[in-house]
Amino acid sequence: MAKFLTIGYGDQAGYDRTDAAVRDAAHAHDEQLRQDGVDMGIAGSPVQVRNHDASEVTTEDGPFMSSALPVAGFAIVEAATLAEAIEIVSCTPCAVAHGVVEVWPLQATP
């Protein structure tokens, strides 16, 4: 099984305009994923960390990347293929509530 990092993007407006039954089903799907061992969580406030040339650690509050929607959460899912990972996240709240989920294959470092 391969591992995939998923990043969910979404905002309250998109969530609110999604039918409550669809949202409830998406939350039930997430709960099942958690019960199946998927490590997931809601995104907190990010901190940028730099240590150029290993000379001094500096930090800055806030995200480095910007997008049309805020980051809402993360998960690490295991799947046999990218297609299976996509299927797994296609029913999550960000995917169904007018947001988007990125799926990043994780590659082992040498």
Side-chain angles (χ1 to χ4, degrees):
M1 294 289 268
K3 290 187 178 186
F4 299 85
L5 168 67
T6 69
I7 306 171
Y9 300 83
D11 61 10
Q12 193 66 46
Y15 184 84
D16 290 345
R17 74 175 189 258
T18 301
D19 183 86
V22 172
R23 293 190 318 241
D24 291 346
H27 288 293
H29 177 76
D30 271 9
E31 181 56 33
Q32 184 60 56
L33 291 177
R34 280 190 286 281
Q35 289 178 14
D36 292 343
V38 171
D39 191 11
M40 68 171 57
I42 296 171
S45 299
V47 175
Q48 299 174 38
V49 179
R50 292 176 177 78
N51 187 10
H52 296 172
D53 297 318
S55 62
E56 178 185 9
V57 175
T58 61
T59 61
E60 183 178 341
D61 291 340
F64 178 73
M65 298 187 320
S66 62
S67 68
L69 293 170
V71 173
F74 300 91
I76 302 289
V77 299
E78 290 189 14
T81 64
L82 176 61
E84 182 182 351
I86 291 167
E87 179 65 27
I88 289 169
V89 303
S90 69
C91 295
T92 62
C94 284
V96 302
H98 303 276
V100 64
V101 179
E102 292 178 338
V103 178
W104 295 62
L106 292 178
Q107 301 174 355
T109 57

